[in-house]
Amino acid sequence: MSNIENCIIIGSGPAGWSAAIYAARANLRPLLFEGAMTEENRVMGRFPMGQLAQTTEVENYAGFPSGKLKEFLSSAIDPSRQYMFPPVEEHAHAVTGPELMELMRQQATNFGTRVITDDVVSVDFSKQPLVLNTSENGSYETRTVIIATGASANYLGLPSEEKFRNRGVSACAVCDGALPRFRNKSLVVVGGGDSAVEEASYLTKYASKVYLLLRRGEMRASKIMQERALSNPKIELVKFSVVDEVLGDDVDPRVGVTGVRIKNLQTNDTSVLEATGMFLAIGHTPNTKFLGGQVETHENGYVAWKQPYRTITSVPGVFAAGDVADDYYRQAITSSGTGCMAALDAERFLASAGFH
Ligand code: NDP
């Protein structure tokens, strides 16, 4: 540990990069931990660049209508990072998640944000300066911290689901959907929200059929996404049903999942859907473990804002933005908005403490 940082941002989704853009333009020289590129982070959905980097098109982030965005993207983003998003000729609906995230990262680094590809694994928020301990890069002292670590996909918690993780069970269709085991086969997507419909629609590019498993008689997804599911001939809704057990061969990893036994909640009958994959899209849990309980959270684990319309947490100098503090809106654009708010709050905190 040597010099004390003004502002450290943890997380590299829209909240993190938006906070970085504002903090950098306020001359705070922010340092951003974007997460480590480990296999564990990949499997748990905590890879750098956040959840958006694992989605397809982002149709509701203002400013990126469909069209020929390819030339703009290649002129805006450093060529050394263009491998991070697959080339798309025509953007049928909008910018893609990976592209949007690279644009945000580029904008943040253009203004001088320093980026470290590592995880913050624990903190000491008992006094100023605040201390962050990283996985590979030692410890850092800082006057302010912006927590923007987002949320990770939930799993059902069944032992059979655990057994087949990476052998047919996944929570990221975009990461895993193109694998040979899923091609021209039937697949199951669990959940009825926007994520589930998005995952199911994406998987129809490869699968012969996708069962969308709903525990109720209707989808939670927005109307436009519901219509997309209903009009896709490869998607079949299976209503009032939950997963009873994931079936397959866990001895030979090449086989993996062969089916999903489901239970109808109205009749209690069980039946088997033949499938080589099961994709979870049943909501998220905020990534707060590394905080070790030092920042107050709500009962559901999301970081609590201690003043209405402010990103102020229970610890002076610590602010929270994006999905880690939002169990309600959870949109890319609201995450960006709260990232901006957190940077402004951090700047005002530093000013009132006489540091800036
Ligand atoms: P949601 O919380 O909206 O939906 C979760 C779904 O999973 C619900 O259908 C829920 O069922 C179901 N579910 C939860 N737990 C279980 C369980 N144990 N067993 C079976 N089913 C379960 O989460 P999403 O990730 O879909 O969306 C989060 C936010 O992100 C939303 O605000 C959404 O609008 C946004 N989003 C927007 C997108 C877009 O606009 N393109 C794309 C993806 C996400 P039930 O309905 O019965 O509670």
Side-chain angles (χ1 to χ4, degrees), residues 47-301:
F47 222 44
M49 315 301 275
Q51 295 175 69
L52 273 198
Q54 299 172 8
T55 61
T56 52
E57 284 120 344
V58 183
E59 298 167 35
N60 47 15
Y61 196 93
F64 295 94
S66 58
K68 295 191 181 191
L69 294 171
K70 196 175 158 219
E71 277 175 28
F72 162 63
L73 291 161
S74 57
S75 65
I77 296 170
D78 190 317
S80 70
R81 299 242 355 141
Q82 291 187 15
Y83 74 96
M84 294 296 287
F85 51 89
V88 180
E89 289 296 331
E90 287 270 340
H91 289 69
H93 300 108
V95 70
T96 70
E99 290 165 351
L100 183 59
M101 296 321 300
E102 284 300 324
L103 285 167
M104 290 192 192
R105 188 186 199 278
Q106 184 72 55
Q107 200 169 344
T109 55
N110 286 352
F111 287 110
T113 303
R114 294 161 297 148
V115 181
I116 297 183
T117 308
D118 198 0
D119 285 328
V120 172
V121 291
S122 65
V123 301
D124 180 357
F125 288 167
S126 59
K127 56 182 185 317
Q128 275 280 354
L130 309 158
V131 177
L132 303 180
N133 305 308
T134 70
S135 176
E136 304 277 338
N137 288 271
S139 299
Y140 288 76
E141 287 185 326
T142 179
R143 297 184 177 104
T144 66
V145 171
I146 295 175
I147 304 166
T149 44
S152 305
N154 289 342
Y155 284 81
L156 294 165
L158 298 170
S160 58
E161 170 195 61
E162 186 62 35
K163 206 161 60 178
F164 289 111
R165 260 203 213 189
N166 275 347
R167 295 176 187 180
V169 170
S170 166
C172 180
V174 178
C175 320
D176 300 328
L179 293 174
R181 69 165 76 241
F182 302 129
R183 285 183 186 245
N184 301 313
K185 301 282 182 357
S186 297
L187 304 174
V188 173
V189 172
V190 186
D194 282 334
S195 300
V197 175
E198 195 179 70
E199 302 252 309
S201 306
Y202 180 79
L203 289 170
T204 59
K205 289 210 287 190
Y206 307 104
S208 54
K209 180 180 195 110
V210 177
Y211 297 104
L212 192 59
L213 204 64
L214 309 176
R215 62 181 175 182
R216 293 185 294 135
E218 57 183 299
M219 288 180 264
R220 179 181 291 277
S222 54
K223 286 281 173 275
I224 189 169
M225 297 299 271
Q226 291 196 23
E227 277 160 25
R228 204 165 288 172
L230 294 171
S231 64
N232 189 324
K234 283 191 178 177
I235 297 179
E236 181 179 327
L237 303 192
V238 182
K239 297 180 179 175
F240 299 109
S241 297
V242 293
V243 177
D244 194 40
E245 193 171 353
V246 186
L247 309 172
D249 181 343
D250 62 325
V251 180
D252 183 350
R254 286 167 305 177
V255 180
V257 173
T258 56
V260 179
R261 192 169 68 220
I262 58 168
K263 188 165 92 175
N264 184 302
L265 294 173
Q266 290 185 312
T267 61
N268 270 339
D269 289 343
T270 57
S271 58
V272 173
L273 297 174
E274 239 177 69
T276 60
M278 181 177 91
F279 289 80
L280 285 311
I282 56 167
H284 294 85
T285 300
N287 296 320
T288 55
K289 203 167 159 216
F290 71 101
L291 295 170
Q294 294 181 56
V295 177
E296 201 178 303
T297 61
H298 295 293
E299 249 172 42
N300 59 7

